[in-house]
């Protein structure tokens, strides 16, 4: 009997030890998780602080350095001259921050494009796309939006035919990404429109047919993309002599635009 009680005490101690071990393990895991989260948060905060300091230096020393009382004809300084000055310093200032470097190239591309300096817009757009591509899925949405703009810069600068392989490659790289169907179809319509401008009407028609099938199979496509699709479809159909289809598509475009 005393032996049985001794065995019960041993079993009880084992259970207590196991329970204590489990509690200790759970506590350690929770502490480790909190430590990792805190470390990541601190790293993000330090990264953002460094980025803010670098951006401040870029704006004050690089972008605005040309505005000085010592500069002759400072009042005649143009926006393009400021952009040109900033362009020369990006790679040096943001060598250790590829995300910000890509975003600044994208901003400069947009600024040059707004000023209708499409050659410079194309150059910075291409550099931004290279940067976004290196960042992977984290920059997929920015890459997708910029690719549509890049098509415009490329066409306006006379480089669209040369850039078409790059544009197609960018589209393929985005096909399996996390971007919405609407965004991907919008890019496909933009590429079809670029093919139309180049006189590649058969290729444009093939792409438009694919986009139309995808759009018809989904309710998750915006009215704006459907409008653009109908307009480009009408133009392509008219170019290849499919007048009846062109009328249908252009009427659909009018309906969507109303």
């Amino acid at each position: 009997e005393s032996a049985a009680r001794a065995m019960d005490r041993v079993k009880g101690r084992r259970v207590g030890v196991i329970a204590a071990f489990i509690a200790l393990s759970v506590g350690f895991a929770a502490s480790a998780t909190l430590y990792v989260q805190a470390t990541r948060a601190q790293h993000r905060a330090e990264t953002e602080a460094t980025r803010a300091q670098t951006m401040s230096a870029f704006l004050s020393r690089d972008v605005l350095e040309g505005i000085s009382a010592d500069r002759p004809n400072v009042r005649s300084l143009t926006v393009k001259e400021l952009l040109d000055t900033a362009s020369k310093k990006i790679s040096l200032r943001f060598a250790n921050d590829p995300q910000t470097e890509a975003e600044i190239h994208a901003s400069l591309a947009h600024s040059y494009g707004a000023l209708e300096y499409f050659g410079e817009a194309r150059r910075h757009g291409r550099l931004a796309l290279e940067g976004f591509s290196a960042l992977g899925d984290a920059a997929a949405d920015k890459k997708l939006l910029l690719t549509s703009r890049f098509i415009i810069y490329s066409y306006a600068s006379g480089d669209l035919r040369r850039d078409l392989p790059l544009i197609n490659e960018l589209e393929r790289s985005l096909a399996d990404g996390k971007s919405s169907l609407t965004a991907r179809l919008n890019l496909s319509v933009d590429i079809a429109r670029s093919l139309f401008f180049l006189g590649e009407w058969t290729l444009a028609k093939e792409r438009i047919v694919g986009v139309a099938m995808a759009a018809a199979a989904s309710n998750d496509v915006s009215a704006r993309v459907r409008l653009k699709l109908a307009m480009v479809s009408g133009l392509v159909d008219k170019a290849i002599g499919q007048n009846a289809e062109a009328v249908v598509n252009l009427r659909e475009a009018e309906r969507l635009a109303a």
Side-chain angles (χ1 to χ4, degrees), residues 2 5 18 26 31 79 87 98 101 104 107 128 133 161 184-185 193 196 199 209 213 221 229 244 246 254 258:
S2 59
R5 284 198 300 270
I18 292 172
V26 171
S31 298
V79 174
S87 299
E101 181 179 359
I104 290 178
S107 295
S133 295
R161 187 174 296 278
R184 295 197 302 272
L185 292 184
R193 182 174 57 185
F196 169 77
V209 169
M213 291 176 62
V221 179
L229 172 61
E254 289 179 357

Side-chain angles (χ1 to χ4, degrees), residues 42-213:
Q42 181 181 1
H43 177 70
R44 284 195 298 271
E46 291 174 350
T47 299
E48 290 302 321
T50 301
R51 182 171 293 161
Q53 291 174 356
T54 306
M55 183 64 73
S56 176
F58 175 70
L59 291 173
S60 62
R61 300 176 191 172
D62 300 336
V63 178
L64 303 177
E65 70 173 0
I67 303 178
S68 170
D70 298 331
R71 177 191 172 101
N73 301 320
V74 67
R75 290 187 177 182
S76 65
L77 187 65
T78 65
V79 174
K80 183 178 183 297
E81 287 178 294
L82 290 176
L83 295 177
D84 290 344
T85 299
S87 299
K88 299 173 184 177
K89 306 293 180 67
I90 296 174
S91 59
L92 294 175
R93 182 70 68 183
F94 298 99
N96 298 320
D97 189 355
Q99 178 180 338
T100 303
E101 181 179 359
E103 290 174 353
I104 290 178
H105 278 301
S107 295
L108 285 174
H110 181 69
S111 298
Y112 276 119
L115 294 171
E116 299 185 1
Y117 292 104
F118 295 112
E120 289 87 345
R122 171 183 173 272
R123 182 172 70 85
H124 284 284
R126 185 159 189 155
L127 290 170
L129 287 168
E130 290 174 358
F132 289 148
S133 295
L135 293 170
D137 287 343
D141 287 337
K142 295 177 181 178
K143 179 179 174 183
L144 191 60
L145 175 62
L146 181 57
T147 301
S148 288
R149 291 178 177 174
F150 180 74
I151 293 171
I152 298 172
Y153 306 149
S154 182
Y155 174 72
S157 65
D159 294 294
L160 182 56
R161 187 174 296 278
R162 181 170 62 174
D163 288 335
L164 199 57
L166 169 63
I167 293 167
N168 287 327
E169 178 58 33
L170 288 167
E171 183 190 30
R172 283 192 293 271
S173 72
L174 290 161
D176 298 326
K178 300 178 181 179
S179 301
S180 68
L181 176 63
T182 284
R184 295 197 302 272
L185 292 184
N186 182 64
L187 176 58
S188 292
V189 175
D190 286 339
I191 295 175
R193 182 174 57 185
S194 71
L195 290 168
F196 169 77
F197 288 147
L198 291 174
E200 301 287 354
W201 298 332
T202 301
L203 292 177
K205 178 64 176 179
E206 291 174 357
R207 181 173 286 275
I208 283 294
V209 169
V211 175
M213 291 176 62

